Each structure stands twice: as C-alpha cells, then as structure tokens.
C-alpha cells in the first residue's frame, strides 16, 4: 500500500525515517483512507481483515462512482472527528463551524493566503482563545480544515522558507478548481445584526453548504 498511494505534500521517506516497524497510524494516507472507507460503510472488518461491503463493491460502478467524492467529503467534515490530526488542539474548533469556514474560504482563498490570515478571515473565534499567550488557532485551522481540503484536492499549497531563520516555513493556500465545482452555498447575511446572523449560520452550517454529487476528481476525470 505504501507504494500504491500518492498523497499531496507527504514525504513518505521522512515520515518513515524513525520507524523501523510501520503501523497504520504511521502511514497517514492509509489511515485517512481506511477511516473514511469504514465511516462510509464501504469496508468492514472480518476475521482481522478489511473486506469490501456490498455497498463498497457497488460504488465502483460507473453509475455510482461520481457520487463517491461528495459522500466521503461530507463524512469527513460533518461526521468524522478531525481533531485527531490536530492532536486534540482546541477540541472541535473550528470543525464545528465547518459550513461557515468553507463558505468564507470560497470568498477569501482565491489568491495565495497564509494559514494565519485564513484563520483570521474564515473562522469564528471563541473568547477563551484571546486569553492565551500562544495563538494556537492557525495550527488547529491547518490541521482540521486546510490540510484535509488539500487531501481532497480542493486547495493548493505552497511553502516558503522563513528568511530570518534556518528552520521553519511559511505555509500558504489557495482554492483549487475543484473547490467551486464541488461546493455550493446558500447564504443570507443580515448586515444590521451581523453578530447574531453569523451565530445562526454557525449553528446550522450544514443547511447552507451543499456538496455536489457527480463531480469527479480532476485526476480521475483525466484518466477516463
């Protein structure tokens, strides 16, 4: 499996450098794919092995394959707990506001933006976050929203070395073409009561975020 899976911005040699024995959690791409496949009931464990369910076998047909990306995307952002990828940082924030964050990204991420700026522009901060000496919000945003979107092909990513130091990089993201093809939004903002409007939107995020089915990943479309 290590040789079969290609994953954006994933250095397999670097990830395996300190592991002589490779377990599934050590190989992030396989771990993510397995979690999604099980959440979608495409596979199940039988006698210690993963086997395809009837649904998993049927989804491979041309008629149903187009809906697979939308189903997995919906499960990832509204059913799975993505805090694992942020090591529990800030609990469910900002995934709990996924609809608001995705809509904001659709407006703010047309050009390259840093993870810090996208965090300020696209999330709803909580009061407790302002009392901390270290701003952890960009790291939570990147781990639970930006990188998963990169994995799905909805964002592009680039890094730049920090000029003033030997170590560290600036991470920037922008929308990929697939973002606007896959996601649609139905948003109404009352500017006279902006605060309450945003809170209402956050509490009903799924109501205005529509994941279009029948959209193939650009790479898969090219193969067909």
């Amino acid at each position: 499996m290590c040789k079969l899976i290609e994953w954006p911005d994933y250095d397999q040699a670097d990830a395996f450098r300190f592991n002589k024995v490779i377990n599934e959690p050590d190989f992030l791409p396989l771990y993510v794919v397995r979690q999604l496949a099980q959440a979608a009931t495409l596979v199940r464990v039988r006698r210690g092995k993963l086997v395809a369910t009837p649904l998993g076998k049927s989804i491979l047909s041309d008629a149903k394959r187009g809906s697979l990306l939308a189903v997995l995307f919906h499960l990832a952002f509204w059913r799975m707990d993505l805090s694992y990828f942020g090591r529990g940082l800030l609990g469910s924030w900002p995934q709990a506001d996924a609809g608001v964050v995705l809509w904001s990204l659709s407006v703010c991420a047309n050009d390259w933006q840093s993870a810090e700026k996208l965090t300020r522009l696209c999330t709803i901060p909580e009061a407790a976050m302002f009392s901390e000496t270290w701003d952890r919000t960009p790291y939570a945003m990147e781990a639970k929203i930006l990188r998963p979107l990169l994995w799905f092909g909805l964002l592009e990513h680039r890094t730049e070395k920090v000029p003033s130091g030997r170590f560290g990089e600036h991470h920037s993201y922008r929308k990929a073409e697939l973002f606007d093809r896959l996601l649609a939004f139905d948003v109404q903002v009352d500017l006279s009561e902006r605060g309450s409007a945003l809170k209402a939107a956050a509490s009903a995020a799924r109501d205005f975020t529509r994941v279009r089915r029948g959209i193939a990943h650009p790479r898969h479309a090219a193969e067909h």
Side-chain angles (χ1 to χ4, degrees):
M1 293 298 292
C2 295
K3 296 180 180 179
L4 293 176
I5 296 179
E6 296 182 12
W7 204 254
D9 289 341
Y10 182 77
D11 189 335
Q12 187 176 124
D14 184 66
F16 290 174
R17 183 170 49 178
F18 301 108
N19 298 292
K20 293 183 178 179
V21 178
I22 306 302
N23 298 309
E24 186 191 70
D26 300 320
F27 185 32
L28 178 66
L30 180 59
Y31 179 80
V32 173
V33 170
R34 198 266 299 171
Q35 290 284 340
L36 279 173
Q38 279 195 276
T41 65
L42 302 179
V43 297
R44 61 184 176 88
V45 178
R46 185 173 68 184
R47 297 177 183 176
K49 296 182 179 180
L50 280 177
V51 297
T53 63
L55 176 61
K57 294 176 181 178
S58 69
I59 205 74
L60 296 176
S61 67
D62 291 338
K64 295 184 178 180
R65 191 179 303 168
S67 64
L68 181 59
L69 180 62
V71 170
L72 295 181
F73 184 89
H74 180 85
L75 284 170
F77 284 89
W78 282 283
R79 290 289 185 266
M80 291 180 62
D81 181 6
L82 298 179
S83 63
Y84 170 86
F85 304 111
R87 299 184 179 182
L89 188 65
L90 300 181
S92 63
W93 189 93
Q95 186 186 356
D97 304 322
V100 173
V101 175
L102 292 172
W103 168 57
S104 301
L105 285 170
S106 73
V107 177
C108 300
N110 291 304
D111 297 315
W112 291 109
Q113 304 283 5
S114 67
E116 291 80 7
K117 187 172 183 179
L118 288 174
T119 302
R120 294 194 300 271
L121 293 175
C122 302
T123 63
I124 303 175
E126 298 178 359
M129 297 175 182
F130 296 105
S131 62
E132 299 177 351
T133 56
W134 173 46
D135 184 9
R136 299 178 295 170
T137 57
Y139 300 96
M141 172 71 163
E142 198 164 14
K144 303 174 200 176
I145 300 292
L146 299 180
R147 288 201 174 277
L149 286 174
L150 175 68
W151 300 338
F152 273 97
L154 271 65
L155 290 183
E156 297 174 353
H157 171 246
R158 72 178 183 186
T159 58
E160 295 177 317
K161 294 290 184 181
V162 177
S164 59
R166 294 176 56 190
F167 305 101
E169 296 176 325
H170 291 302
H171 295 267
S172 299
Y173 297 85
R174 71 177 178 186
K175 287 192 304 182
E177 180 185 353
L178 183 60
F179 192 105
D180 292 325
R181 291 177 57 207
L182 184 68
L183 300 179
F185 304 91
D186 181 12
V187 181
Q188 296 180 358
V189 178
D190 185 351
L191 296 179
S192 63
E193 299 178 1
R194 187 177 180 185
S196 59
L198 284 176
K199 289 180 181 178
S203 65
R206 282 179 295 175
D207 294 341
F208 66 77
T209 306
R210 181 164 57 88
V211 184
R212 296 190 179 103
R213 299 197 175 200
I215 302 295
H217 192 283
R219 180 181 174 187
H220 296 160
E223 292 174 351
H224 291 81

